[in-house]
Structure formats: structure tokens, C-alpha cells
Amino acid sequence: MTHATPHPHETDFGTPARTAGELVTLEIDGRRVTVPDGTSVMRAAMEAGITVPKLCATDSLEPFGSCRLCLVEIEGRRGTPASCTTPVAPGMKVATQTPRLAKLRRGVMELYISDHPLDCLTCAANGDCELQDMAGAVGLRNVRYGFDGESHTTAAKDESNPYFSFDPAKCIVCSRCVRACQETQGTFALTIDGRGFASAVSPGAGESFMGSECVSCGACVQACPTATLTEKSVIEHGQPEHSVLTTCAYCGVGCSFKAEMKGTTVVRMTPHKDGGANEGHSCVKGRFAWGYATHKDRVMKPMIRERITDPWREVSWEAAVAHAAARLKAVQAKHGRGSIGGITSSRCTNEEIYVVQKMIRAAFGNNNVDTCARVCHSPTGYGLSQTFGTSAGTQDFKSVAEADVVLVIGANPTDGHPVFASRLKKRLRAGAELIVIDPRRIDLVRSPHVQARHHLQLQPGTNVAVLNAMAHVIVTEGLVNRAFVEERCDVAAFDRWAAFVAEARNAPDAVAERTGVPAIEIRAAARLYATGGNAAIYYGLGVTEHSQGSTTVMAMANLAMATGNIGRDGVGVNPLRGQNNVQGSCDMGSFPHEFSGYRHVSDDGVRALFEEVWGAALDGEPGLRIPNMFDAAIDGSFKGMFVQGEDIAQSDPNTRHVSAALESLEILIVQDLFLNETAAFAHVFFPGTSFLEKDGTFTNAERRINRVRPAMPSQVGWDEWRVACALATAMGYPMSYDHPARIMDEIARLTPTFRGVSFDKLDRLGSVQWPCTDADHTGTPIMHADRFVRGQGRFMITEYIPTDERTTRMYPLILTTGRILSQYNVGAQTRRTANVAWHPEDILEINPHDAEQRGLKDGDLVSLASRMGATTLRAQLSDRMPPGVVYTTFHHPVTGANVVTTENSDWATNCPEYKVTAVQITRSNQPSDWQVERDRQEGERKRVSTAAVSAAE
Ligand code: SF4
Ligand code: SF4
Ligand code: SF4
Ligand code: FES
């Protein structure tokens, strides 16, 4: 099977597959067909290779039966039923092509065409229009009604959305868009307004798309059979010619896409129906926000400079690599082998990450490698491995369809993991109960047709206290699943834990005041979780980015084990990973203490294995974590760093401290698409490749290894894995591969959970969830099914130890941070797309009561000040925030939200405590000192590079 194909239309079976029912055999046009009960006649015909004309049906949506084009005749039944809404029955005899049906269908098409602009030849959808196809399919040759009567062909276009256009003149009111918005996306932004001839699609209450609650997921555009809803990129470039199957490079959902291409230009990204994570759906980022890949800001040539105040000089790849290697070696000669290190990137492929950590361990000769997962999900690795024995989520996303109770804690899926949120909302609309534990009233708490049963609106930093109190209720009210605990878990550890959580200090009443959650709510949520059927936990950075991040992960695992909610569909403990390849960067051995597959560097047997395959002596001592690297840089013992695709100057906490550390380095090498904030401190810049150029794999939050395939050639000449190989070689450790598939082969050879993974298998199966342990293994959607990876599940004592960060009279509010749907992380990619239309600046959300006390109005500029620093941004009054808590995002360097965050971190993993900073908010009409200084430095950098360009000219 090839994955770069001419542009094929995927088969649309008209209605969704049914899998559960008994098999039914019927006859269609004389052919015997056997399908599961509940299948539509239309789908049964399509599966037998018989095409039935259709317009309002598509296999991603439940049938609606409005267009009347799919009529069939059924022996023994009167009339001509719609095949899309008629289920199969045993012995049924169906005819899809008769003179009577042909006449009826032509009549239907005549009506559609008589109210349709006849501009097919110049229409953007020419060649990709189902109306056009159907006119051909039914043999329509003329239209008896003429085109002079009343019509919709002059209706005005809505061009408000930056990515798609809405031309109601071409609408056939099939309602596919409305149903896609409801069923697939779950936003309910569209309706059919009016009746009969006056009926028309309307976003919101007659608003424009941008003015409505539309979140720009594009599901309606994909569902539209005509050119009514069309991507502006298709209007600009024309219909695609071929497509390449690949994976989104934004969040940890890991959606599969067809990059639909014209030459090397992306025409559109279409979510892949067979994508295991997304099954044909996407969000605004994956579907539309790919323009950054060809943005003019991209750096295309390697660059070097002596001092960070010098202008950059473009050089050849060979010269840049030689310069970097010479500087790194010089630093090691002067300051010792441990004076250099590097950071791998969760945005890069597994193969790119693997070679960088190998370069550090084998060529740098130390274990000073860390990854950006340090600052997001490192507590997940620690907590789940302590309790279950493996550092990963337990389920596939599909599993949520079997959940009866869903507990979402410290996550905001509708913004952070939108495609998973759509799955979740679908399940909630079908009746599952929802518990939200979050300081903010996130959208899931109340949105169309979704209402959380319980919202535990806790004080930031009190997750552990709330979860211990839930455990207290479960243990003291006899809600423990004893059979599961006795069969699957370490009973002695359970007994210790049960005695601990049963202590009076962990009772809901005892923690109510500190957590801000009424005891009655904690009790009710605990009972629902323990007794409501299949209960699943989903969590995000609101769990991990705390000084008790690892404790909270273990507290959730304890709850799941105590109630037997682990090891089957619909249950489990599931991290919603931030970046596209956070799971992969952890799996690939990016932590200073672990080789790939989470094996400790001090294990002699494991080290010997790597030494043999790599042909290098390896250090058995764990190296420096990112915060240790910064501290050592300031102390003067750490002098050289390679940073792969991360903007640590913007993303890591306490910006002043990070800047001081980076300034102290003698050699900083940055590899990125853009000259980011970190590059301001760099001496060597290696241009990186975008996901559209990469060849490799990403691993999503479900442990699903997805292929990333190049849709266009590298824009910068060298693939990233090749750069790491060249640098290692120049450092004296020869490293080379002829293709990324060979890197995966080495990963498989050295990593038990990847042993059965290969590019060939991924190309064959589409994706594989690790563990995949041999050539015949097809992966593991649900973990810990019969036994925990560590043998017996281990309950861990989760003492609640409050953070050192305290509010005072000077800093009376708690700041918590997060992200929003349209932007991504530090915004380097999304800020370079039309997504800025939704979020042009970071905003501070503040409760109206706190605002009033400070005399603040909506839209005022405010100073956000902590013990660490201050920044100025705009305030938005929001009753989503509880009094005493404020919230902002960190997508814009001009705000620099991390100027105010502290260096407090998780006790086990050093994951920074981004979610709890004591702050004060005051009205302000000027930028902070930090912003003034940043602007000055930015101006200076521009002046230097302009001077350099003039000198070169
Ligand atoms: S883009 Fe998505 S949210 Fe917006 S109207 Fe279409 S389906 Fe609904
Ligand atoms: S906009 Fe497209 S999908 Fe929606 S009703 Fe009109 S033709 Fe159908
Ligand atoms: S949900 Fe995540 S992976 Fe999927 S399209 Fe959106 S950003 Fe990409
Ligand atoms: S496709 Fe069956 S009624 Fe429209």
C-alpha cells in the first residue's frame, strides 16, 4: 500500500457502519449481501459494490432522509423508501435501478439544478462536487422548469471565517453541515432556519460564521457535498492532485490527515477516516493552521556568530556543524565532559529525538539530556510507573464511548484536545455522567447538550486533598472493589493506603475549607465515580504542573485501582498529552536517567546492551535535568547546550532566571523553524524542518505510533536526524543512517515495547499502539488488561503537602495558566497563521468581584505582578473564574507570562508549578520593566541584523 497517492476519493458508504448486530442476508439487484443488523440498505448496497445515488447521506453522519435521491424498490413493500434510512431485513429483495426510480431521481435532480448557479466550469468544487456527480449519475440532460423563477442563486456569501467561505447560493439544504456540527463536532453552531423554500443554513442566530459560536473545526466544510462551504485554500489553488497520509504536528491527540497537494503546495488537510485517533475529525489547528510551514519568517540557511551581540552569518551546513562541534569540544576540554548537554523536542519525530539523545549520550559522553516533557508530563511518567508499572495512559481514545462516568481533572479538552473533546461530548450526550475538577468553569461544565453532574471548583494546588477526600469516601463507605484489589493489586499496600485515606484529616469535611469544595460535592462525586459503572479519568497539565504533580497522578491511579476501573474499555487513567510527541520523546530515552523504554542508565545489563549496539562507553550516572542545567549554567559549570525545537526562553518558568542561564553559555545551538526567543542567546542556528517535510513517526497520548510522511521536500536541505548524525560524527562519534526507517529498526532492537514496530508494519496497519512486542503483534489499545505491567498494582500513600507558594496581602490572588483552542504552546506556529484572528494577544481572566475591588473594567490594561516579576496585559472580566483566582495563556512572547511564574516544582520530577503563582493585579497604562527591556533588546537585535545586511550589500 502506498501512502502518497493520486488523489482518490475515499468510498463513502452513505451511512455509518454497524458492528454489533446479528448478521443479516438480503438480496440487492440480484446479489446476495450479508451485513450486521441495523445496517442501512444503502450501506449494504455500497458494500456489495452497488452505488446508490445520494446527496444528504454520508457515512460519517447518521442518516437523515431528506434529499429523496436514494430511493429504492423493495419487494413486497409499497412505495419507494429511502435506502439511507431503511434498515436491512433478512430475505429482503431490493432493486436500486428501475425505470421508475430513474425517473423519480431525475425529477429530484431537476429541482435541485433549477435553483443552482450554473457555473460548474469555474466553480472551486468542479470535479469534487457531489451535486455535479449525481446529475451525471441520474442522467440529467435538461431541466424542464427553466431558471427564471424565484431562486436562491443571488444569496450573499459569508467570507468572515479566515479559512472557509460560505456561499448559500450553492446550498441544497441537505443539512449535512448542521449534522456534522452536532454529531461530529458537538458545537451545535448551525441550524436550518425557515421552512420550505425559505429554509437556509444559518450559523448561530443569523450571525456570520465568525460571529457565531463556530470553533472552525471544518467538519461542516468536509461534509458539504457542494461548493457552498469551501476551503479558501481550494478556491485559491484549485483541486488537489495527489495526497500524502500524515499526522498533525500540534497536540497529543495525534490526528491523521491526508495532506492534499498540488505539486509541493498544500491545498487542504483532510482528516483521515481511518485515522485511529480521530476517525475523520479534526480541529482548527490541524485542518487549517499549517501555513506557518511556508511562512516568510522561516530560517532556511544555517547561521553562526561568535557572540550573541554579533549579527548572524549564513554558512553551509558543513561549516555550521564543524563550528558547533569545535565549540562544544573546546568547552568540554576547558570545563569537563559534563559541561555540555541538550534538550530534545516533543515536536520532532521519534527518530529525530532518538538520534539527539544518542548523540548526547554517545558523542557528548554524558547523560545531560532532558526534554520539554520535563515541564509538562514528567509526573505522569513517575506516577503511573510507580502504581501501574508503565509511563503511559491506559486506554485508546475510542474507549471513552464505553464510559459511564468520566472524571476530567486539570484538563480543558475543548481547547487543548478538541478532537478527543468531541468524542467525549458525544458520549456525554448519549448519557454518560461527567465530573469536572478544575478551578475554572471550563466549557465542558456547561455546553450545548452537556452538563457536568459535579463541578468541583477547587483552589489551585489542592488536587491531592480533593482526591484523597474522594478516596476517603470510597474506603469508609465500603465502595472499594475488593475482588479487583485482592486479585490484581498488592493487598498490603492497599491496606496501608486505605488506613491512610480513612484518617479523619482526609475526610471531605476536613478539606472543604482548604480546597474550597463543599464536602457534600466531594462525597457525591466519589460515590458517582465508584458506583456509576465504567469510570474513566482524563487529566492534563492542571494535574502535573504542580509541586504535588506526581502525588496527584498516583492519587488518581489509587482511585482507579480501588474501584476496579482499569484494564478494560471505558475506564482507566489517561493523560491528555500537550504536544504532538510528548509520549514519544519520553519513550525515546530523553530523560537524563533513562534509556528508551524507561530503563535506568545505572542498570548494567541495559547499559551493556546499548554500549554494544552503539559501540560507545556510556555513563551510568543520571545527568542533569533542565532546571539543573540552568542552575549549573549560572554557577559556571555548564557551558554548552543543544536545543532541539523548543523555545525554552519563552516556555520555561521564571524567564529572568532562564535568560541569565542562557546568557552564561559559551555555546548554545538552537534548531528551529524560526528565530525564536531562545535563539536570541544562540551562537549556532540550525534550520529545522516542519512536519510537512519530515519522514518518521509521532506517538500520541494513546501510545499510538503514527507515520509522519513528507508532503514536500525539505525546505532547508538537511533532515534533522541527519544534522544530529553529522554533529555527533564531527564530535568524534561516527553516526549515520540511510533512512529514518533504519533509526526505527534500531529503536525496536533496543526497546522491548517497540520490538515489533517497523515502518513497514505501520504502513500496513496504519498505526500501532505500543507495547508491540514482536513481528506478529499488532499493538495494545488497552493496557493492564489481565495484570499490571509491574505485576500487582501498587497503591501509593499520597500525603497532601501544600505548595510553598502562598498568597499574602501583597500577592493575594492565585494565577493559573493554560491555553486556548486557536493557539498552541508558545504560539511560534499558530501566531504565523490566520488563527491570530481569534486570539491576537494573551488575556488575563479575572472574576468580576476581584476586578471591581481593583477598579478594573473589561479590557483594561493591568499589571500582573508576582515575587518573580511583572508583565502587562489586558484584563477580561469572567465569571468562569472563582474569586481569588486569575488565568492567562502564554502564547505571545510580548506578554511573557512566564516572567511571573516561579521555580517551584514537582517534588519527584521537577515539573514546574506553572499552575500556582501568587500575584497581584493593578491597573496599568504602560508595559512592565521587563517588556521595556525586551523591546529594547529586540530593537537592538534588529538594528544589528539590518547593519549586517547593509554591510553584506
Ligand atoms: S466549522 Fe465546525 S464548529 Fe464551525 S459550524 Fe462548521 S462544524 Fe460547526
Ligand atoms: S451548506 Fe452544504 S452541507 Fe450545508 S446544507 Fe448546504 S449544501 Fe448541505
Ligand atoms: S486535535 Fe490535536 S492532533 Fe487533532 S487536529 Fe487538533 S491539534 Fe491536531
Ligand atoms: S441520501 Fe437518502 S434521502 Fe438523501
Side-chain angles (χ1 to χ4, degrees):
M1 179 177 176
T2 168
H3 297 273
T5 54
H7 186 65
H9 285 291
E10 286 174 36
T11 305
D12 183 340
F13 292 90
T15 63
R18 303 287 182 233
T19 48
E22 301 271 301
L23 291 180
V24 170
T25 299
L26 66 159
E27 201 180 290
I28 305 178
D29 293 346
R31 272 187 236 176
R32 276 169 69 81
V33 187
T34 303
V35 289
D37 197 11
T39 303
S40 70
V41 169
M42 172 181 279
R43 183 160 187 125
M46 297 291 284
E47 287 187 6
I50 300 164
T51 306
V52 183
K54 62 180 179 54
L55 275 173
C56 68
T58 183
D59 60 11
S60 58
L61 300 170
E62 291 301 322
F64 190 57
S66 72
C67 75
R68 311 300 296 165
L69 202 61
C70 68
L71 310 178
V72 291
E73 291 179 28
I74 299 176
E75 198 176 280
R77 293 202 193 177
R78 285 175 39 214
T80 50
S83 63
C84 62
T85 49
T86 306
V88 293
M92 191 181 241
K93 286 196 172 149
V94 180
T96 70
Q97 306 293 342
T98 65
R100 179 185 174 205
L101 292 172
K103 191 168 169 216
L104 285 170
R105 287 177 187 147
R106 269 199 296 275
V108 170
M109 283 307 298
E110 270 186 278
L111 286 171
Y112 279 124
I113 298 297
S114 66
D115 188 9
H116 199 79
L118 295 180
D119 61 355
C120 289
L121 285 182
T122 52
C123 176
N126 189 17
D128 186 26
C129 170
E130 293 182 39
L131 189 68
Q132 195 179 42
D133 294 347
M134 288 307 119
V138 305
L140 189 69
R141 295 288 172 264
N142 56 52
V143 174
R144 287 167 295 168
Y145 310 113
F147 297 93
D148 301 333
E150 200 183 356
S151 80
H152 298 89
T153 53
T154 52
K157 283 187 190 176
D158 174 358
E159 301 275 9
S160 61
N161 187 288
Y163 294 118
F164 59 83
S165 125
F166 175 55
D167 181 359
K170 294 183 171 167
C171 181
I172 58 170
V173 202
C174 66
S175 190
R176 273 161 65 160
C177 54
V178 177
R179 289 178 286 140
C181 192
Q182 295 175 357
E183 290 177 32
T184 311
Q185 166 56 24
T187 292
F188 294 78
L190 300 177
T191 49
I192 303 281
D193 255 1
R195 285 180 180 276
F197 180 80
S199 54
V201 171
S202 166
E207 294 138 327
S208 68
F209 270 84
M210 276 305 264
S212 74
E213 57 272 45
C214 165
V215 293
S216 208
C217 72
C220 56
V221 182
Q222 188 173 340
C224 182
T226 66
T228 313
L229 285 160
T230 308
E231 297 90 347
K232 289 183 176 173
S233 54
V234 172
I235 295 172
E236 183 183 348
H237 299 297
Q239 288 295 317
E241 293 161 344
H242 70 280
S243 63
V244 178
L245 205 50
T246 191
T247 304
C248 177
Y250 280 115
C251 85
V253 176
C255 296
S256 296
F257 279 89
K258 281 195 307 184
E260 298 195 49
M261 311 292 297
K262 197 165 197 171
T264 56
T265 301
V266 180
V267 173
R268 73 178 157 208
M269 297 288 281
T270 305
H272 187 44
K273 260 194 334 197
D274 294 332
N278 57 324
E279 296 180 306
H281 191 35
S282 75
C283 79
V284 59
K285 294 190 288 286
R287 192 191 292 265
F288 293 124
W290 33 265
Y292 70 88
T294 48
H295 194 276
K296 64 176 175 38
D297 287 355
R298 262 190 80 174
V299 180
M300 298 300 189
K301 297 247 168 59
M303 302 190 298
I304 61 173
R305 59 184 175 183
E306 282 305 309
R307 290 175 299 273
I308 62 172
T309 47
D310 291 345
W312 285 107
R313 220 158 31 89
E314 287 182 356
V315 292
S316 67
W317 274 107
E318 289 79 3
V321 168
H323 180 81
R327 295 278 296 257
L328 287 169
K329 284 202 282 191
V331 164
Q332 278 190 310
K334 198 159 121 201
H335 302 285
R337 198 179 57 176
S339 60
I340 63 173
I343 298 177
T344 69
S345 169
S346 296
R347 292 187 203 164
C348 289
T349 63
N350 287 319
E351 294 71 19
E352 291 164 339
I353 292 165
Y354 177 84
V355 290
V356 167
Q357 63 86 34
K358 178 176 174 180
M359 169 186 80
I360 292 167
R361 296 185 202 277
F364 292 11
N366 62 46
N367 290 317
N368 292 336
V369 55
D370 208 352
T371 177
C372 52
R374 170 73 52 214
V375 300
C376 65
H377 264 290
S378 47
T380 289
Y382 181 85
L384 294 185
S385 119
Q386 290 294 309
T387 46
F388 299 160
T390 196
S391 302
T394 61
Q395 313 295 118
D396 58 357
F397 288 135
K398 245 188 226 163
S399 150
V400 77
E402 305 297 322
D404 301 306
V405 178
V406 179
L407 192 166
V408 174
I409 170 168
N412 186 8
T414 50
D415 282 58
H417 303 85
V419 166
F420 169 70
S422 292
R423 276 187 195 272
L424 170 58
K425 288 198 286 186
K426 192 171 195 168
R427 179 63 197 139
L428 296 172
R429 290 197 303 276
E433 296 282 11
L434 174 66
I435 302 165
V436 172
I437 304 181
D438 203 290
R440 281 171 94 212
R441 198 186 66 232
I442 57 172
D443 285 349
L444 270 183
V445 172
R446 202 176 310 127
S447 59
H449 304 277
V450 169
Q451 169 86 54
R453 174 73 53 191
H454 303 287
H455 177 203
L456 277 46
Q457 200 166 15
L458 77 184
Q459 279 294 304
T462 62
N463 285 332
V464 174
V466 168
L467 294 177
N468 282 349
M470 285 178 68
H472 177 96
V473 175
I474 288 166
V475 166
T476 58
E477 295 189 5
L479 306 179
V480 168
N481 183 336
R482 291 274 345 166
F484 182 90
V485 170
E486 277 160 27
E487 192 190 331
R488 302 281 310 273
C489 303
D490 176 341
V491 175
F494 167 77
D495 289 340
R496 283 193 297 276
W497 171 79
F500 157 72
V501 294
E503 289 174 29
R505 65 198 171 95
N506 288 321
D509 298 287
V511 303
E513 193 180 333
R514 164 166 279 166
T515 61
V517 185
I520 191 170
E521 278 290 300
I522 298 179
R523 283 186 202 286
R527 289 170 192 148
L528 178 59
Y529 176 79
T531 64
N534 283 342
I537 299 176
Y538 292 87
Y539 70 96
L541 303 181
V543 158
T544 54
E545 291 177 344
H546 285 276
S547 59
Q548 325 84 355
S550 293
T551 318
T552 311
V553 175
M554 294 189 291
M556 294 184 301
N558 291 339
L559 280 186
M561 289 188 289
T563 53
N565 278 309
I566 205 86
R568 60 182 189 279
D569 275 325
V571 299
V573 180
N574 298 288
L576 295 171
R577 303 275 187 168
Q579 306 211 54
N580 52 324
N581 203 24
V582 176
Q583 181 68 54
S585 77
C586 300
D587 300 342
M588 289 301 103
S590 292
F591 289 129
H593 65 295
E594 283 171 340
F595 291 117
S596 61
Y598 307 96
R599 283 148 319 143
H600 206 279
V601 292
S602 65
D603 182 321
D604 292 341
V606 172
R607 213 169 54 254
L609 186 68
F610 279 83
E611 287 181 332
E612 188 197 329
V613 174
W614 289 358
L618 300 174
D619 193 347
E621 283 294 312
L624 299 175
R625 297 171 172 182
I626 294 172
N628 308 135
M629 292 185 203
F630 293 152
D631 292 344
I634 288 170
D635 289 351
S637 59
F638 188 75
K639 289 289 182 186
M641 201 171 187
F642 177 97
V643 180
Q644 178 190 34
E646 281 303 317
D647 195 1
I648 48 178
Q650 196 187 340
S651 63
D652 283 38
N654 192 356
T655 306
R656 281 180 199 277
H657 182 72
V658 176
S659 303
L662 296 177
E663 256 169 10
S664 324
L665 298 173
E666 288 179 16
I667 167 76
L668 173 63
I669 304 158
V670 166
Q671 183 155 31
D672 211 298
L673 300 180
F674 307 106
L675 273 176
N676 57 18
E677 299 294 300
T678 309
F681 304 94
H683 307 87
V684 176
F685 188 89
F686 292 146
T689 49
S690 74
F691 79 109
L692 290 168
E693 298 144 66
K694 291 183 190 296
D695 196 348
T697 56
F698 292 151
T699 308
N700 77 353
E702 317 161 280
R703 298 166 277 103
R704 186 185 299 279
I705 307 160
N706 274 314
R707 282 283 277 119
V708 185
R709 298 186 180 86
M712 57 176 70
S714 166
Q715 307 290 291
V716 298
W718 280 25
D719 291 319
E720 290 189 33
W721 56 269
R722 189 173 159 206
V723 179
C725 287
L727 184 56
T729 305
M731 295 279 294
Y733 173 74
M735 189 159 93
S736 69
Y737 301 89
D738 60 14
H739 190 270
R742 302 292 82 73
I743 305 175
M744 178 54 85
D745 292 345
E746 185 175 310
I747 295 165
R749 184 172 168 201
L750 285 167
T751 315
T753 44
F754 275 65
R755 189 138 296 152
V757 180
S758 66
F759 277 27
D760 281 350
K761 185 184 274 187
L762 294 170
D763 290 346
R764 218 170 48 247
L765 301 183
S767 63
V768 166
Q769 288 172 267
W770 67 257
C772 174
T773 47
D774 61 49
D776 298 329
H777 201 287
T778 54
T780 312
I782 307 287
M783 291 203 75
H784 317 296
D786 303 316
R787 64 189 288 279
F788 285 98
V789 168
R790 68 176 305 283
Q792 292 179 316
R794 179 164 59 172
F795 285 82
M796 299 293 289
I797 302 293
T798 51
E799 192 71 64
Y800 172 55
I801 299 174
T803 170
D804 290 340
E805 183 72 358
R806 299 288 155 83
T807 52
T808 58
R809 215 153 46 86
M810 231 168 134
Y811 300 106
L813 302 170
I814 293 285
L815 169 74
T816 186
T817 61
R819 62 184 199 202
I820 57 140
L821 172 67
S822 56
Q823 295 288 350
Y824 176 70
N825 206 286
V826 295
Q829 294 144 289
T830 42
R831 279 187 286 106
R832 291 181 172 93
T833 69
N835 277 27
V836 286
W838 287 278
H839 188 75
E841 58 184 329
D842 290 319
I843 297 285
L844 185 92
E845 288 184 32
I846 181 168
N847 181 278
H849 174 74
D850 292 327
E852 191 186 346
Q853 279 188 332
R854 290 162 177 76
L856 301 176
K857 294 192 308 300
D858 204 48
D860 278 351
L861 275 180
V862 295
S863 160
L864 166 69
S866 75
R867 297 177 182 95
M868 293 299 121
T871 188
T872 301
L873 72 174
R874 208 169 292 285
Q876 183 180 69
L877 274 49
S878 167
D879 63 5
R880 289 171 13 132
M881 303 308 303
V885 183
V886 293
Y887 172 88
T888 191
T889 51
F890 50 92
H891 302 306
H892 293 269
V894 63
T895 321
N898 282 321
V899 172
V900 299
T901 52
T902 71
E903 282 172 72
N904 291 339
S905 66
D906 174 47
W907 62 271
T909 65
N910 279 145
C911 182
E913 188 166 53
Y914 290 110
K915 303 295 184 189
V916 186
T917 308
V919 294
Q920 178 58 296
I921 312 292
T922 49
R923 200 206 294 259
S924 167
N925 56 6
Q926 60 188 23
S928 68
D929 292 350
W930 175 82
Q931 284 164 313
V932 170
E933 175 59 14
R934 183 187 173 280
D935 285 351
R936 190 195 64 72
Q937 287 175 359
E938 183 89 4
E940 179 63 14
R941 284 203 291 272
K942 279 203 183 115
R943 193 189 63 70
V944 167
S945 45
T946 312
V949 170
S950 320
E953 285 164 0

